[in-house]
Amino acid sequence: MDRFVLWGTYCENALAKRVPFREEHLSRLSALKQNGILITLGPTKCNKYVFGIFESKSLEVVKRHIEDDVYWKEGIWTSFEVYPWIQAF
């Protein structure tokens, strides 16, 4: 399995706009974490960016996980990039 880093952006007023979707989002992230796919994920303190680390067989699988998230589908996340990552320490 390889590790991948996610960098993305949130929409304007994301804290308010995410409210109707938050439980679904967190529940899904919890399942991904329990299955060993998601290592960590969360916003920067300014709530402008999202950062995450995933473990998966391929970049395409990670992108699918992101695109299947309600935050992506509802426009809470507005863009994302995923990069293969080598953990040095």
Side-chain angles (χ1 to χ4, degrees), residues 33-68:
K33 190 160 182 119
Q34 287 177 354
N35 289 327
I37 297 164
L38 179 63
I39 305 304
T40 191
L41 187 135
T44 56
K45 274 193 168 185
C46 66
N47 291 303
K48 207 171 164 184
Y49 304 100
V50 60
F51 170 80
I53 299 174
F54 292 81
E55 195 164 85
S56 179
K57 293 179 183 178
S58 73
L59 177 64
E60 291 75 25
V61 170
V62 173
K63 286 182 177 181
R64 233 178 299 129
H65 284 303
I66 295 164
E67 291 169 347
D68 286 344

Side-chain angles (χ1 to χ4, degrees), residues 2-6 54 58-59 81-87:
D2 291 321
R3 287 203 169 177
F4 298 87
V5 173
L6 157 72
F54 292 81
S58 73
L59 177 64
E81 296 178 26
V82 180
Y83 301 97
W85 180 54
I86 299 168
Q87 184 172 349

